Amino acid sequence: MIREFEKCFELSTKDTTYAFRIRENGLAEHLYYGAKMNLLGNPELAAAQVVALAEKQVFAPGNSILRDQEDKGFSPEYCALELSAPGKGDVREPMVEVVGRGGVRTLDFVYDSHEISQGKKAFETLPGSYDEAGKVWQLKVVLKDEWQKLTLELYYWVYEDCNVITRSAVLVNDGEESVEVLRLLSMLTDLEGDAYKACYFTGAWAREMQENCVALTGGKLVLSSATGTSSNRVNPFFFLEKNGTGEDFGECMGFNLIYSGNHYEAIEVSPYGKTRIVSGISPQGFVWKLGPGERFEAPEAVMTYSANGRNGMSRNMHAFVREHIVRGTWKKKERPILLNSWEAFYFDFNESKLLHLAQAAKNVGIELFVLDDGWFGKRDDDTSSLGDWTENKKKLPGGLAGLAKKVNALGLDFGVWVEPEMVNVDSELYRAHPEWVLEIPGKAHSEGRNQRILDLSNPAVQEWLIAEMGRVFSSANIAYVKWDMNRIYTDAYSQALPAEQQGEVTHRCQMGLYHCMKELTEAFPDILFEGCASGGNRFDLGILCYFPQIWASDNTDAMCRAQIQNGYSYGYPQSVIGAHVSSCPNHQTLRVTPLETRFAVASFGVLGYECNLADMKKEDLEAIKVQIEIYKNWRSVLQFGTWIRGASFGGGGGVAGSGVGGFAGGGFGGGGFAGGSFGGGGFSGGVSNLRDGAGNLQEWFCVSEDKTREICVLLQRFAIPNNHSVTIRPRGLDGERIYRFTNRDLKHDLRNFGDLVNMVAPIHVKQDSLLHNAIAKFVKLDGETEDYVVSGDMLMRGGIALKQPYGGTGFNEQVRYFPDFGARMYFVEECALQNSET
């Protein structure tokens, strides 16, 4: 809700309060953001409490500027503000910059009026949050610079249910001459104190969302994208935390931006112990000509606070994205398990190959078959045909419609890949309309993936894209669309705009893209759209306003994906993260990881497969069939449950040295195949100089909304010898209820133990020989069993001490086979009290 008392505003969610006031000089002064408190609820105390909370200034600091002579104690640089602009003494990061009347850049916005209401109108040119119930609170504060004849409208929206406040700004030209807007950010807030750590997520192609944390002690930290996209270089989501904050304790504030283009975030610590945060469109290269009577709206910024650590902040963000960003048919609908054709065939396929693969997909329980790149024009590689969205009849004699009909006949839905924003020079579209492309006529173009970007600032291009994609999507029974975008902006010159508006190109292209996405998703509401931009180069809230999920990374290596998806988890729920199980050696890293691990990681997202099932070994196909059955059984929890992080790879761990030890006595003795156990002795060497496990394990938990079911994943980077103690503590359960904790019934391949088979074999078995392989077909080693019935309180506080991992001294069904890159999935379900293992 929103309260107002004598121009002081209190914005409250169920657990937080944000407060600011209008000073006597008309400036908006920030007062507080944190845990919920009653600032204005008691009219008898409200005035006194505001005074107690507000900054006290009698004498301005030396070498600072007084805004005016009537308020000689007030220096804007010293004060915590809600808005800042150049020219009046605040030399910190500004929110707005304009070249106005006579070239003057000084701005002085002061309070004019305010309005409190419920409900939220859609933006005119951009996507934004929404509330189906219409209960969101809105505060509009109007400020004016009478000399410049400019009006600035600050908007605040309060989402009480998920502890989120969003903000935006609109600049209006009230004058008779055009002005140049150099910057209009979406939010500015000044926090009291400087004991914060900033955590943000950088990367590159195949290395998205790598966590970085730095202590803020002075100066300015800038996070920005100049790629024309929200970018994999730095995501617009970031968070601040007080020193000492952990996953489940401490103060944490998260921030994001509903925008898919060049963005800018800055965190600045002032000499006076205040921390300023700004977020919005990047000012780099941005100039917007604002004519008389025109309005310019900034994208919507998102912020949340939690006193319950990083996980508390993430829960707020996840709830907000699910309820107030994602929309339409697929908002709360379970997503299908798909098979994507890309890593099976790349460009080299025909209808027969595709149908053979689709049949293999159906046999293991896949629900959706997706045809990726290469189905149109002369598209046998990435050098041609983007823009020519007509089927290649050599590959698909019956076109998309014929293929879709045959795939549907197998019992699968059909999906297709497109890249509508791009064009190859070698295409009929480029030859017909070179003026539709972002390029500088007569100047050599910087190429990316052999393609160029269509000028979506041009309405004619927008209408062509809408019509052409509409034709494709209606040409067959298409249930899913993967919308890709595989290069960043260069030579961003619009041949449809005059010279004085070239600084508007990238933002106008974003507005044009949103227009196209809006039209197409409304025209095809039942299609499941998945965004993609070379993986995670455009993973943001703007895209999620139209597409309910985004492909997180082109890197499908399980260990890389574990870190990438962990990064996304801080600001985005698993229901929006596309994740696939792929083949090994992995196509991006050549790493070999267990199939179980690949599934465990991909299941904490919208599960899919991207491998050639038609060529896969029978035992792997059987394993995948079981994986899919498990996922379907737990799909509602895994896609829409609460994702909670435990231990993390973030700190490193793993190999800290080199060198391999040897066998040191003992050996494996006794037993035989029937018993399936190795007796005494063992290794006491192994990889030397391993750390003690810090950063070597990663834990994910996902609990159902009603707290009756939870799935837990434990991931390991490297096997550490003689390291037996691992306790897992599920999160988010009801302490008073009774739960059963179990794991999967796994069988292990004898060949994973190498020539140790000779410790139990009655005859010598040469490793990797025909005999070794033959034995492995019939003899499987039983995995460990974890089965306990305990209280939720015991699970969360005491935890389950897992059975020891293999450590070189013996193996049987009481030992966990947990190799390098290993994973385990554990299942927690509410149950009645019964006898259990003790």
PDB file of all heavy atoms in Angstrom, residues 658-690:
ATOM      1  N   SER A 658      48.748 -30.733  -8.610  1.00  0.00           N
ATOM      2  CA  SER A 658      48.802 -31.772  -9.630  1.00  0.00           C
ATOM      3  C   SER A 658      49.559 -32.961  -9.075  1.00  0.00           C
ATOM      4  O   SER A 658      50.038 -32.959  -7.946  1.00  0.00           O
ATOM      5  CB  SER A 658      49.489 -31.243 -10.895  1.00  0.00           C
ATOM      6  OG  SER A 658      50.804 -30.834 -10.593  1.00  0.00           O
ATOM      7  N   GLY A 659      49.656 -33.956  -9.907  1.00  0.00           N
ATOM      8  CA  GLY A 659      50.369 -35.151  -9.475  1.00  0.00           C
ATOM      9  C   GLY A 659      49.410 -36.263  -9.135  1.00  0.00           C
ATOM     10  O   GLY A 659      48.353 -36.039  -8.591  1.00  0.00           O
ATOM     11  N   VAL A 660      49.794 -37.459  -9.446  1.00  0.00           N
ATOM     12  CA  VAL A 660      48.958 -38.617  -9.194  1.00  0.00           C
ATOM     13  C   VAL A 660      49.691 -39.570  -8.275  1.00  0.00           C
ATOM     14  O   VAL A 660      50.851 -39.902  -8.488  1.00  0.00           O
ATOM     15  CB  VAL A 660      48.598 -39.338 -10.513  1.00  0.00           C
ATOM     16  CG1 VAL A 660      47.764 -40.569 -10.239  1.00  0.00           C
ATOM     17  CG2 VAL A 660      47.848 -38.396 -11.427  1.00  0.00           C
ATOM     18  N   GLY A 661      49.002 -39.976  -7.237  1.00  0.00           N
ATOM     19  CA  GLY A 661      49.588 -40.952  -6.325  1.00  0.00           C
ATOM     20  C   GLY A 661      49.465 -42.354  -6.900  1.00  0.00           C
ATOM     21  O   GLY A 661      49.130 -42.560  -8.045  1.00  0.00           O
ATOM     22  N   GLY A 662      49.739 -43.362  -6.106  1.00  0.00           N
ATOM     23  CA  GLY A 662      49.657 -44.730  -6.598  1.00  0.00           C
ATOM     24  C   GLY A 662      48.878 -45.604  -5.653  1.00  0.00           C
ATOM     25  O   GLY A 662      48.246 -45.127  -4.720  1.00  0.00           O
ATOM     26  N   PHE A 663      48.910 -46.884  -5.938  1.00  0.00           N
ATOM     27  CA  PHE A 663      48.293 -47.833  -5.034  1.00  0.00           C
ATOM     28  C   PHE A 663      49.183 -47.983  -3.801  1.00  0.00           C
ATOM     29  O   PHE A 663      50.388 -48.001  -3.898  1.00  0.00           O
ATOM     30  CB  PHE A 663      48.133 -49.199  -5.714  1.00  0.00           C
ATOM     31  CG  PHE A 663      47.178 -49.183  -6.864  1.00  0.00           C
ATOM     32  CD1 PHE A 663      47.637 -49.194  -8.169  1.00  0.00           C
ATOM     33  CD2 PHE A 663      45.813 -49.139  -6.646  1.00  0.00           C
ATOM     34  CE1 PHE A 663      46.754 -49.186  -9.229  1.00  0.00           C
ATOM     35  CE2 PHE A 663      44.933 -49.135  -7.705  1.00  0.00           C
ATOM     36  CZ  PHE A 663      45.395 -49.149  -9.008  1.00  0.00           C
ATOM     37  N   ALA A 664      48.563 -48.103  -2.659  1.00  0.00           N
ATOM     38  CA  ALA A 664      49.346 -48.233  -1.429  1.00  0.00           C
ATOM     39  C   ALA A 664      48.787 -49.371  -0.600  1.00  0.00           C
ATOM     40  O   ALA A 664      48.110 -49.188   0.394  1.00  0.00           O
ATOM     41  CB  ALA A 664      49.325 -46.936  -0.630  1.00  0.00           C
ATOM     42  N   GLY A 665      49.075 -50.551  -1.056  1.00  0.00           N
ATOM     43  CA  GLY A 665      48.751 -51.727  -0.258  1.00  0.00           C
ATOM     44  C   GLY A 665      47.292 -52.099  -0.312  1.00  0.00           C
ATOM     45  O   GLY A 665      46.458 -51.516  -0.973  1.00  0.00           O
ATOM     46  N   GLY A 666      46.968 -53.159   0.410  1.00  0.00           N
ATOM     47  CA  GLY A 666      45.582 -53.580   0.566  1.00  0.00           C
ATOM     48  C   GLY A 666      45.071 -54.307  -0.644  1.00  0.00           C
ATOM     49  O   GLY A 666      45.126 -55.522  -0.710  1.00  0.00           O
ATOM     50  N   GLY A 667      44.614 -53.589  -1.602  1.00  0.00           N
ATOM     51  CA  GLY A 667      43.953 -54.201  -2.743  1.00  0.00           C
ATOM     52  C   GLY A 667      42.523 -54.537  -2.409  1.00  0.00           C
ATOM     53  O   GLY A 667      42.059 -54.353  -1.295  1.00  0.00           O
ATOM     54  N   PHE A 668      41.809 -55.014  -3.397  1.00  0.00           N
ATOM     55  CA  PHE A 668      40.418 -55.416  -3.231  1.00  0.00           C
ATOM     56  C   PHE A 668      40.390 -56.927  -3.108  1.00  0.00           C
ATOM     57  O   PHE A 668      40.897 -57.629  -3.973  1.00  0.00           O
ATOM     58  CB  PHE A 668      39.571 -54.967  -4.427  1.00  0.00           C
ATOM     59  CG  PHE A 668      39.346 -53.497  -4.442  1.00  0.00           C
ATOM     60  CD1 PHE A 668      40.354 -52.628  -4.814  1.00  0.00           C
ATOM     61  CD2 PHE A 668      38.134 -52.972  -4.051  1.00  0.00           C
ATOM     62  CE1 PHE A 668      40.137 -51.269  -4.824  1.00  0.00           C
ATOM     63  CE2 PHE A 668      37.914 -51.614  -4.063  1.00  0.00           C
ATOM     64  CZ  PHE A 668      38.923 -50.756  -4.440  1.00  0.00           C
ATOM     65  N   GLY A 669      39.796 -57.430  -2.070  1.00  0.00           N
ATOM     66  CA  GLY A 669      39.842 -58.867  -1.847  1.00  0.00           C
ATOM     67  C   GLY A 669      38.473 -59.459  -1.672  1.00  0.00           C
ATOM     68  O   GLY A 669      37.501 -58.783  -1.358  1.00  0.00           O
ATOM     69  N   GLY A 670      38.421 -60.799  -1.829  1.00  0.00           N
ATOM     70  CA  GLY A 670      37.227 -61.571  -1.506  1.00  0.00           C
ATOM     71  C   GLY A 670      36.032 -61.272  -2.380  1.00  0.00           C
ATOM     72  O   GLY A 670      36.057 -60.457  -3.279  1.00  0.00           O
ATOM     73  N   GLY A 671      34.959 -61.987  -2.068  1.00  0.00           N
ATOM     74  CA  GLY A 671      33.692 -61.741  -2.742  1.00  0.00           C
ATOM     75  C   GLY A 671      33.657 -62.343  -4.130  1.00  0.00           C
ATOM     76  O   GLY A 671      34.366 -63.269  -4.460  1.00  0.00           O
ATOM     77  N   GLY A 672      32.828 -61.824  -4.965  1.00  0.00           N
ATOM     78  CA  GLY A 672      32.620 -62.304  -6.326  1.00  0.00           C
ATOM     79  C   GLY A 672      31.527 -61.489  -6.968  1.00  0.00           C
ATOM     80  O   GLY A 672      31.002 -60.558  -6.380  1.00  0.00           O
ATOM     81  N   PHE A 673      31.179 -61.827  -8.205  1.00  0.00           N
ATOM     82  CA  PHE A 673      30.150 -61.057  -8.908  1.00  0.00           C
ATOM     83  C   PHE A 673      28.813 -61.116  -8.199  1.00  0.00           C
ATOM     84  O   PHE A 673      28.087 -60.152  -8.159  1.00  0.00           O
ATOM     85  CB  PHE A 673      30.003 -61.567 -10.347  1.00  0.00           C
ATOM     86  CG  PHE A 673      31.174 -61.254 -11.210  1.00  0.00           C
ATOM     87  CD1 PHE A 673      31.816 -62.249 -11.928  1.00  0.00           C
ATOM     88  CD2 PHE A 673      31.651 -59.961 -11.292  1.00  0.00           C
ATOM     89  CE1 PHE A 673      32.902 -61.941 -12.727  1.00  0.00           C
ATOM     90  CE2 PHE A 673      32.740 -59.659 -12.094  1.00  0.00           C
ATOM     91  CZ  PHE A 673      33.377 -60.655 -12.806  1.00  0.00           C
ATOM     92  N   ALA A 674      28.480 -62.284  -7.651  1.00  0.00           N
ATOM     93  CA  ALA A 674      27.155 -62.434  -7.055  1.00  0.00           C
ATOM     94  C   ALA A 674      26.950 -61.467  -5.906  1.00  0.00           C
ATOM     95  O   ALA A 674      25.885 -60.892  -5.727  1.00  0.00           O
ATOM     96  CB  ALA A 674      26.955 -63.875  -6.575  1.00  0.00           C
ATOM     97  N   GLY A 675      27.972 -61.306  -5.108  1.00  0.00           N
ATOM     98  CA  GLY A 675      27.843 -60.397  -3.965  1.00  0.00           C
ATOM     99  C   GLY A 675      27.885 -58.949  -4.370  1.00  0.00           C
ATOM    100  O   GLY A 675      27.342 -58.099  -3.688  1.00  0.00           O
ATOM    101  N   GLY A 676      28.574 -58.675  -5.444  1.00  0.00           N
ATOM    102  CA  GLY A 676      28.636 -57.307  -5.945  1.00  0.00           C
ATOM    103  C   GLY A 676      29.359 -56.358  -5.018  1.00  0.00           C
ATOM    104  O   GLY A 676      29.126 -55.169  -5.028  1.00  0.00           O
ATOM    105  N   SER A 677      30.250 -56.845  -4.181  1.00  0.00           N
ATOM    106  CA  SER A 677      30.925 -55.931  -3.256  1.00  0.00           C
ATOM    107  C   SER A 677      32.421 -56.141  -3.313  1.00  0.00           C
ATOM    108  O   SER A 677      32.898 -57.249  -3.544  1.00  0.00           O
ATOM    109  CB  SER A 677      30.413 -56.139  -1.827  1.00  0.00           C
ATOM    110  OG  SER A 677      30.744 -57.433  -1.375  1.00  0.00           O
ATOM    111  N   PHE A 678      33.145 -55.077  -3.097  1.00  0.00           N
ATOM    112  CA  PHE A 678      34.596 -55.148  -2.999  1.00  0.00           C
ATOM    113  C   PHE A 678      34.956 -55.090  -1.519  1.00  0.00           C
ATOM    114  O   PHE A 678      34.469 -54.240  -0.796  1.00  0.00           O
ATOM    115  CB  PHE A 678      35.259 -53.967  -3.713  1.00  0.00           C
ATOM    116  CG  PHE A 678      34.983 -53.915  -5.186  1.00  0.00           C
ATOM    117  CD1 PHE A 678      34.681 -52.726  -5.803  1.00  0.00           C
ATOM    118  CD2 PHE A 678      35.042 -55.063  -5.963  1.00  0.00           C
ATOM    119  CE1 PHE A 678      34.438 -52.665  -7.163  1.00  0.00           C
ATOM    120  CE2 PHE A 678      34.808 -55.009  -7.318  1.00  0.00           C
ATOM    121  CZ  PHE A 678      34.498 -53.822  -7.929  1.00  0.00           C
ATOM    122  N   GLY A 679      35.847 -55.963  -1.073  1.00  0.00           N
ATOM    123  CA  GLY A 679      36.241 -55.977   0.336  1.00  0.00           C
ATOM    124  C   GLY A 679      37.488 -55.167   0.589  1.00  0.00           C
ATOM    125  O   GLY A 679      38.055 -54.605  -0.313  1.00  0.00           O
ATOM    126  N   GLY A 680      38.003 -55.144   1.819  1.00  0.00           N
ATOM    127  CA  GLY A 680      39.076 -54.312   2.376  1.00  0.00           C
ATOM    128  C   GLY A 680      40.107 -53.727   1.438  1.00  0.00           C
ATOM    129  O   GLY A 680      40.027 -53.807   0.257  1.00  0.00           O
ATOM    130  N   GLY A 681      41.100 -53.094   1.952  1.00  0.00           N
ATOM    131  CA  GLY A 681      42.198 -52.525   1.185  1.00  0.00           C
ATOM    132  C   GLY A 681      41.780 -51.319   0.391  1.00  0.00           C
ATOM    133  O   GLY A 681      40.810 -50.654   0.689  1.00  0.00           O
ATOM    134  N   GLY A 682      42.535 -50.984  -0.655  1.00  0.00           N
ATOM    135  CA  GLY A 682      42.116 -49.926  -1.557  1.00  0.00           C
ATOM    136  C   GLY A 682      43.225 -48.976  -1.911  1.00  0.00           C
ATOM    137  O   GLY A 682      44.396 -49.261  -1.722  1.00  0.00           O
ATOM    138  N   PHE A 683      42.788 -47.825  -2.494  1.00  0.00           N
ATOM    139  CA  PHE A 683      43.733 -46.767  -2.849  1.00  0.00           C
ATOM    140  C   PHE A 683      44.033 -45.924  -1.608  1.00  0.00           C
ATOM    141  O   PHE A 683      43.164 -45.659  -0.812  1.00  0.00           O
ATOM    142  CB  PHE A 683      43.146 -45.803  -3.896  1.00  0.00           C
ATOM    143  CG  PHE A 683      42.739 -46.462  -5.170  1.00  0.00           C
ATOM    144  CD1 PHE A 683      41.405 -46.495  -5.544  1.00  0.00           C
ATOM    145  CD2 PHE A 683      43.678 -47.029  -5.998  1.00  0.00           C
ATOM    146  CE1 PHE A 683      41.026 -47.079  -6.737  1.00  0.00           C
ATOM    147  CE2 PHE A 683      43.289 -47.607  -7.198  1.00  0.00           C
ATOM    148  CZ  PHE A 683      41.963 -47.636  -7.564  1.00  0.00           C
ATOM    149  N   SER A 684      45.218 -45.428  -1.512  1.00  0.00           N
ATOM    150  CA  SER A 684      45.456 -44.346  -0.565  1.00  0.00           C
ATOM    151  C   SER A 684      46.231 -43.242  -1.255  1.00  0.00           C
ATOM    152  O   SER A 684      46.858 -42.418  -0.629  1.00  0.00           O
ATOM    153  CB  SER A 684      46.225 -44.849   0.667  1.00  0.00           C
ATOM    154  OG  SER A 684      47.542 -45.219   0.318  1.00  0.00           O
ATOM    155  N   GLY A 685      46.202 -43.263  -2.584  1.00  0.00           N
ATOM    156  CA  GLY A 685      46.869 -42.219  -3.352  1.00  0.00           C
ATOM    157  C   GLY A 685      45.843 -41.320  -3.990  1.00  0.00           C
ATOM    158  O   GLY A 685      45.148 -40.589  -3.314  1.00  0.00           O
ATOM    159  N   GLY A 686      45.728 -41.431  -5.313  1.00  0.00           N
ATOM    160  CA  GLY A 686      44.767 -40.607  -6.027  1.00  0.00           C
ATOM    161  C   GLY A 686      45.354 -39.251  -6.357  1.00  0.00           C
ATOM    162  O   GLY A 686      46.549 -39.019  -6.245  1.00  0.00           O
ATOM    163  N   VAL A 687      44.500 -38.338  -6.753  1.00  0.00           N
ATOM    164  CA  VAL A 687      44.954 -36.989  -7.095  1.00  0.00           C
ATOM    165  C   VAL A 687      45.397 -36.279  -5.830  1.00  0.00           C
ATOM    166  O   VAL A 687      44.665 -36.224  -4.846  1.00  0.00           O
ATOM    167  CB  VAL A 687      43.842 -36.190  -7.788  1.00  0.00           C
ATOM    168  CG1 VAL A 687      44.318 -34.793  -8.144  1.00  0.00           C
ATOM    169  CG2 VAL A 687      43.403 -36.916  -9.055  1.00  0.00           C
ATOM    170  N   SER A 688      46.577 -35.760  -5.832  1.00  0.00           N
ATOM    171  CA  SER A 688      47.113 -35.141  -4.621  1.00  0.00           C
ATOM    172  C   SER A 688      46.764 -33.671  -4.536  1.00  0.00           C
ATOM    173  O   SER A 688      46.400 -33.032  -5.523  1.00  0.00           O
ATOM    174  CB  SER A 688      48.639 -35.306  -4.592  1.00  0.00           C
ATOM    175  OG  SER A 688      49.225 -34.593  -5.664  1.00  0.00           O
ATOM    176  N   ASN A 689      46.889 -33.140  -3.356  1.00  0.00           N
ATOM    177  CA  ASN A 689      46.728 -31.706  -3.097  1.00  0.00           C
ATOM    178  C   ASN A 689      45.333 -31.182  -3.424  1.00  0.00           C
ATOM    179  O   ASN A 689      45.159 -30.060  -3.862  1.00  0.00           O
ATOM    180  CB  ASN A 689      47.755 -30.878  -3.875  1.00  0.00           C
ATOM    181  CG  ASN A 689      49.164 -31.191  -3.439  1.00  0.00           C
ATOM    182  OD1 ASN A 689      49.394 -31.422  -2.245  1.00  0.00           O
ATOM    183  ND2 ASN A 689      50.088 -31.226  -4.379  1.00  0.00           N
ATOM    184  N   LEU A 690      44.308 -32.049  -3.224  1.00  0.00           N
ATOM    185  CA  LEU A 690      42.947 -31.545  -3.357  1.00  0.00           C
ATOM    186  C   LEU A 690      42.586 -30.725  -2.143  1.00  0.00           C
ATOM    187  O   LEU A 690      43.034 -31.007  -1.022  1.00  0.00           O
ATOM    188  CB  LEU A 690      41.966 -32.707  -3.492  1.00  0.00           C
ATOM    189  CG  LEU A 690      41.991 -33.428  -4.849  1.00  0.00           C
ATOM    190  CD1 LEU A 690      41.133 -34.671  -4.758  1.00  0.00           C
ATOM    191  CD2 LEU A 690      41.500 -32.533  -5.952  1.00  0.00           C
TER     192      LEU A 690
END
